[in-house]
């Protein structure tokens, strides 16, 4: 945190909001490819299958789901555990570089499962797991069973989690492809992409990329995004080439000199975002997107809701239901506060765009109502 005598220029919540939305491709849809967007955003949250498609539909001009699906089928992007111990869709390059960078966080996670791994040699567990999944991609149930045979006294679930922590396990297709279904099967990133992972890199380059996609930001912000600790040294090494600001609470923020920082009155059109969108998860202080009055309303327990932005800030949640025959789709929006007539018209237009991009239904309906406590 900045000291009391530090006098950096102050960026309030709206200024931070507009800067972040611009870099997140949410002020205006970008005319870039899906692959370029996945790289720029340092991956897409992919705990579930559909969120990456919703994320790109909100950010890219002319996006069609088949574009991302083709990249997955061609092994140009893939799904694996990286930041915050959650599944992300990354480019092949980032799968092989970001995962080694955040491996320290996976090692910390592993310690919390150690009670179920009594008597298990972790180096041997990694070697056995690698051999199993590189022989052929394995469903998680089969991997769990094979590991339980090797270590019958250990907790089978802990063995599987440990394998995921120790190895960069990619979820293989058809899992994640648009319009297809498939159980989770895994192999190593090295086997999937046909090349070795990179050595653990210094974090400096990723700091710069993080600022380009999520800045201006504090050290703690990037630590929240990545799950890593002790990143202060990297920011200090980069300080001579960065600009410094502070937020309304005096927290020091870093930024790239040539990064966009739009005026805080720049229009921000409505956007429908999926559950777990990184926009809402990648800062220690989320008030740049989530008004304090709505803190905690985008999730309930382990359930995360899909979110609606209005004027750049969280304004509600939404759900999409489709008829059994797939012919009709209903988009239900639960608002946190009333909208003006003009805002409702913009939300309706954005909702129609979402439906026509991501649903094959022939009839659509947008309605306002409550569906969550």
């Amino acid at each position: 945190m900045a000291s009391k005598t530090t006098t950096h220029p102050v960026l309030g919540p709206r200024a931070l909001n507009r800067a972040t939305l611009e870099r997140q491709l949410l002020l205006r849809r970008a005319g870039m490819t899906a692959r370029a967007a996945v790289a720029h955003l340092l991956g897409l949250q992919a705990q579930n299958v559909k969120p990456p498609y919703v994320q790109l539909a909100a950010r890219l001009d002319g996006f069609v789901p088949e574009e991302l699906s083709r990249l997955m089928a061609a092994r140009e992007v893939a799904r694996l555990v990286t930041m915050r111990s959650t599944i992300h869709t990354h480019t092949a390059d980032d799968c092989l570089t970001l995962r080694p960078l955040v491996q320290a966080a996976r090692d910390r996670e592993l310690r919390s499962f150690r009670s179920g791994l009594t008597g298990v040699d972790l180096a041997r567990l990694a070697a056995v797991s690698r051999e199993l999944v590189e022989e052929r991609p394995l469903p998680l149930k089969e991997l769990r069973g094979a590991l339980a045979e090797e270590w019958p006294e250990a907790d089978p679930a802990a063995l599987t989690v440990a394998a995921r922590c120790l190895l960069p396990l990619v979820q293989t297709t058809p899992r994640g492809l648009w319009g297809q279904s498939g159980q989770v099967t895994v192999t190593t990133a090295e086997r999937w992409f046909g090349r070795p992972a990179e050595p653990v890199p210094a974090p400096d380059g990723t700091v710069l990329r993080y600022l380009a996609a999520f800045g201006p930001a504090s050290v703690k912000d990037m630590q929240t995004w990545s799950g890593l600790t002790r990143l202060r040294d990297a920011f200090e090494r980069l300080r001579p080439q960065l600009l410094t600001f502070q937020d309304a609470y005096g927290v020091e923020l870093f930024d790239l000199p040539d990064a966009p920082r739009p005026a805080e009155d720049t229009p921000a059109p409505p956007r429908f975002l999926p559950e777990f969108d990184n926009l809402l998860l990648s800062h220690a202080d989320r008030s740049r997107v989530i008004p304090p009055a709505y803190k905690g309303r985008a999730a309930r327990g382990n359930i995360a809701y899909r979110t609606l932005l209005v004027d750049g800030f969280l304004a509600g949640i939404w759900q999409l239901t489709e008829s059994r025959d797939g012919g009709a789709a209903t988009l239900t929006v639960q608002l946190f506060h009333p909208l003006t007539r003009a805002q409702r018209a913009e939300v309706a237009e954005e909702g129609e765009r979402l439906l026509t991009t991501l649903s094959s239904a022939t009839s659509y309906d947008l309605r306002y109502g409550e569906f969550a406590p």
Side-chain angles (χ1 to χ4, degrees):
M1 179 174 290
S3 67
K4 294 291 185 179
T5 58
T6 301
T7 55
H8 300 312
V10 176
L11 296 175
R14 288 189 66 87
L16 290 173
N17 175 272
R18 292 319 194 247
T20 307
L21 291 180
E22 176 72 11
R23 298 173 209 196
Q24 282 286 301
L25 316 179
L26 290 167
L27 277 188
R28 61 190 62 78
R29 283 183 168 84
M32 65 173 63
T33 65
R35 188 187 184 286
V38 173
H40 168 72
L41 297 167
L42 287 96
L44 307 172
Q45 253 281 359
Q47 285 293 92
N48 299 319
V49 170
K50 289 187 177 180
Y53 295 94
V54 181
Q55 289 166 72
L56 293 184
R59 290 169 165 88
L60 299 185
D61 187 33
F63 172 74
V64 294
E66 291 76 14
E67 183 182 1
L68 179 60
S69 194
R70 285 193 295 268
L71 291 173
M72 296 191 71
R75 305 190 187 187
E76 294 186 45
V77 305
R79 299 159 52 88
L80 84 166
V81 173
T82 51
M83 282 80 72
R84 304 182 302 279
S85 189
T86 55
I87 299 167
H88 281 68
T89 295
H90 288 292
T91 64
D93 288 343
D94 279 348
C95 286
L96 296 167
T97 55
L98 278 180
R99 175 53 195 256
L101 177 65
V102 301
Q103 182 58 44
R106 302 291 68 73
D107 294 341
R108 288 201 315 274
E109 178 189 2
L110 183 58
R111 290 198 291 269
S112 65
F113 293 92
R114 207 63 177 91
S115 62
L117 299 171
T118 303
V120 176
D121 180 273
L122 295 182
R124 182 165 175 261
L125 174 60
V128 169
S129 300
R130 181 180 290 277
E131 183 177 356
L132 286 168
V133 300
E134 288 191 343
E135 181 180 354
R136 64 178 176 88
L138 279 185
L140 288 178
K141 184 177 181 179
E142 287 190 36
L143 176 61
R144 184 181 300 114
L147 295 177
E149 287 184 8
E150 289 282 338
W151 290 278
E153 301 301 318
D155 176 8
L159 288 169
T160 308
V161 172
R164 189 192 74 165
C165 290
L166 293 166
L167 300 175
L169 296 181
V170 167
Q171 292 190 3
T172 63
T173 54
R175 179 75 174 179
L177 297 182
W178 184 252
Q180 298 189 42
S181 60
Q183 64 180 327
V184 177
T185 60
V186 295
T187 189
T188 62
E190 296 93 335
R191 176 54 60 91
W192 190 243
F193 298 118
R195 53 193 171 102
E198 298 293 325
V200 178
D204 301 38
T206 305
V207 169
L208 299 177
R209 292 182 63 196
Y210 170 77
L211 292 175
F214 294 96
S218 68
V219 175
K220 192 173 181 181
D221 285 332
M222 184 172 173
Q223 292 179 165
T224 297
W225 167 77
S226 65
L228 295 172
T229 58
R230 302 177 181 177
L231 290 177
R232 167 63 65 179
D233 288 348
F235 278 83
E236 292 300 332
R237 285 194 298 271
L238 294 167
R239 184 183 288 273
Q241 57 185 285
L242 299 175
L243 297 182
T244 51
F245 300 90
Q246 66 186 41
D247 68 13
Y249 304 100
V251 175
E252 186 176 43
L253 306 173
F254 295 85
D255 205 9
L256 306 174
D258 57 353
R261 288 176 290 276
E264 61 182 42
D265 60 351
T266 302
R271 291 290 185 260
F272 287 91
L273 302 180
E275 63 273 28
F276 302 118
D277 193 289
N278 275 329
L279 174 71
L280 280 70
L281 300 175
S282 300
H283 300 89
D285 179 1
R286 300 174 181 178
S287 62
R288 68 178 67 197
V289 179
I290 303 176
Y294 302 151
K295 183 179 180 180
R297 295 193 64 179
R300 179 173 61 88
N302 292 328
I303 300 174
Y305 299 113
R306 300 164 181 175
T307 54
L308 169 67
L309 304 183
V310 176
D311 188 32
F313 291 90
L314 176 66
I317 55 179
W318 60 277
Q319 66 177 7
L320 177 64
T321 56
E322 297 183 89
S323 62
R324 289 187 177 182
D325 62 7
T330 301
L331 178 61
T332 303
V333 177
Q334 181 173 321
L335 294 173
F336 295 161
H337 61 256
L339 302 183
T340 66
R341 180 177 298 180
Q343 287 173 330
R344 281 180 173 254
E346 291 178 339
V347 168
E349 181 180 356
E350 183 67 13
E352 182 178 359
R353 181 165 186 160
L354 170 76
L355 291 167
T356 55
T357 301
L358 299 179
S359 173
S360 59
T362 55
S363 64
Y364 310 103
D365 183 32
L366 186 149
R367 62 183 63 171
Y368 293 94
E370 295 192 4
F371 57 86

